[in-house]
Amino acid sequence: MAGAEAAGSHAGDDLSLPFAVEALDVRGRVVRLGPALDAVLARHDYPPAVSRVVGEAMALTVLLGSALKLEGRFQLQTRSSGAINMIVVDFDAPDQVRACARFDAEAVAAASAAGETATGALLGKGHLAMTIDQGSHASRYQGIVPLEGQSLEECAHTYFQQSEQIPTLVRLAVGEEMTSQSPTGRFYRAGGLMVQFMPHSVDRLRQADLSPGDAPAGHQIAAGVEDEAWNEARMLAETTEAHELLDPLLPSEQLLYRLYHERGVRVFPAQPVREACQCSRERIMGMLTGFSRQERADMVGDDGRIGVTCEFCSRHYDLDPGQVEAEIAAAALADSGEGGDRER
């Protein structure tokens, strides 16, 4: 499923649109996901309740990850005690997203039958981690938020208040569009809106540990700040309804105009988003190298092969154990030789 040829897709799908309302010292993003989200959900054939939560997690991840100014990865991961016990969403800058979830099918079915399908109820108790990795240990940052039955919107608010100290409002929505053009009979789409208060006045800023995306470099906003501009921006954003984030006939630019036209809203070039997995045979080999020879031997199946299936894209890698050991030994010898050359 790709681009405008995908069933149910529209021109405004799979885009992240940055914007600014300079009169209110506000920056943010609107995200619309169509084919990228639907491709993930169709591949895994998740139950509707799980699909909705994964869609929310993908929309939130793209909202945050698309703010990265340099190449790198933003990862959102939940681990919890609920019917959905794990979700992982990776955003690889500048435009690639992938996602997967683990869940208890019986528990999800029971929750759905009882009508207890709120995101917080399905996730249960645990934690949500948001990790920014820009390629080196020094640039890796992780913020952790407890999961205690709240929504992903509330988790995002807590994350920015505690870790980034940036007044933030997030809105997320996921919906199904019934269509005969899709093999499943439905097409999923998701939307998200993030509004952040980022004034330039020095007395309303304080030094940051990590530059938070679009914020002025090296600065961070005090948590809990009270400001008329922020109150106005937040209250306007709170009027956004789920159907507005999902309506393919309502362009993101028009939604922003409806919210902030009296103050003047400026939009920047939209950033495309596409579903793509980073798995490869080379990465699988790198993963296997981290195990001992005995552990790799224990992975050999009854067919005499090592089988590895990517949880994100479901691609299966069928490997010959002898060839695996030969490649690992050759790589180790090459590394040893390079070390010797450097020593000489």
Side-chain angles (χ1 to χ4, degrees):
M1 186 176 300
E5 297 179 357
S9 64
H10 294 268
D13 287 341
D14 296 343
L15 293 174
S16 173
L17 182 70
F19 69 90
V21 185
E22 295 174 358
L24 298 177
D25 289 320
V26 157
R27 285 180 176 266
R29 274 175 164 71
V30 178
V31 164
R32 298 284 183 79
L33 298 179
L37 169 65
D38 194 67
V40 170
L41 300 182
R43 178 183 298 119
H44 294 285
D45 194 24
Y46 294 134
V50 177
S51 293
R52 180 181 55 77
V53 179
V54 172
E56 289 182 1
M58 283 184 64
L60 178 58
T61 299
V62 176
L63 279 173
L64 303 180
S66 58
L68 292 175
K69 293 184 177 181
L70 301 174
E71 290 188 2
R73 171 176 292 180
F74 180 91
Q75 183 183 82
L76 179 150
Q77 181 173 357
T78 69
R79 286 188 178 273
S80 57
S81 61
I84 303 175
N85 50 65
M86 188 184 77
I87 296 176
V88 180
V89 187
D90 286 340
F91 182 89
D92 287 282
D95 62 358
Q96 299 182 22
V97 64
R98 62 179 187 170
C100 66
R102 292 180 183 174
F103 60 96
D104 183 323
E106 293 184 359
V108 170
S112 298
E116 299 175 352
T117 58
T119 298
L122 290 173
L123 292 177
K125 294 186 178 182
H127 69 269
L128 179 149
M130 300 185 188
T131 305
I132 297 173
D133 187 347
Q134 295 189 329
S136 68
H137 180 73
S139 63
R140 190 174 187 273
Y141 172 83
Q142 184 176 76
I144 297 178
V145 178
L147 285 174
E148 298 176 345
Q150 70 272 51
S151 68
L152 290 180
E153 291 177 356
E154 293 170 318
C155 286
H157 299 160
T158 301
Y159 167 76
F160 278 104
Q161 180 180 356
Q162 296 182 353
S163 299
E164 305 288 354
Q165 298 182 322
I166 303 173
T168 301
L169 178 76
V170 171
R171 284 284 180 264
L172 301 172
V174 178
E176 299 174 62
E177 177 181 323
M178 308 312 292
T179 172
S180 60
Q181 301 177 28
S182 170
T184 63
R186 60 169 63 96
F187 181 88
Y188 279 96
R189 62 176 67 253
L193 168 69
M194 181 172 68
V195 180
Q196 296 186 302
F197 183 51
M198 295 180 173
H200 293 280
S201 300
V202 177
D203 60 343
R204 293 156 66 188
L205 296 171
R206 68 181 184 182
Q207 195 68 23
D209 296 326
L210 177 72
S211 178
D214 293 328
H219 290 93
Q220 200 166 26
I221 300 172
V225 62
E226 290 293 332
D227 187 279
E228 291 184 4
W230 169 238
N231 288 336
E232 179 180 344
R234 175 179 51 80
M235 287 188 291
L236 289 172
E238 286 175 341
T239 67
T240 306
E241 298 184 17
H243 71 85
E244 293 177 299
L245 291 173
L246 299 175
D247 187 352
L249 302 181
L250 178 65
S252 298
E253 294 86 348
Q254 187 174 334
L255 171 61
L256 292 172
Y257 179 80
R258 182 189 72 77
L259 292 174
Y260 296 116
H261 67 278
E262 292 186 357
R263 289 295 192 170
V265 57
R266 179 185 178 190
V267 298
F268 302 95
Q271 300 169 251
V273 179
R274 61 190 178 96
E275 183 270 335
C277 189
Q278 298 297 312
C279 73
S280 65
R281 189 182 186 283
E282 290 72 21
R283 292 197 175 198
I284 296 298
M285 287 298 300
M287 179 271 293
L288 292 174
T289 302
F291 292 95
S292 68
R293 188 184 184 95
Q294 182 57 52
E295 288 172 327
R296 291 193 294 271
D298 293 338
M299 297 178 188
V300 178
D302 294 337
D303 60 354
R305 311 282 291 183
I306 296 178
V308 180
T309 300
C310 176
E311 287 195 66
F312 288 100
C313 69
S314 302
R315 181 178 177 183
H316 184 75
Y317 293 85
D318 182 63
L319 306 173
D320 176 76
Q323 186 176 359
V324 167
E325 295 304 326
E327 291 184 23
I328 290 176
L333 182 61
D335 289 342
S336 175
E338 291 176 2
D341 289 344
R342 284 193 296 269
E343 290 174 4
R344 288 193 295 270

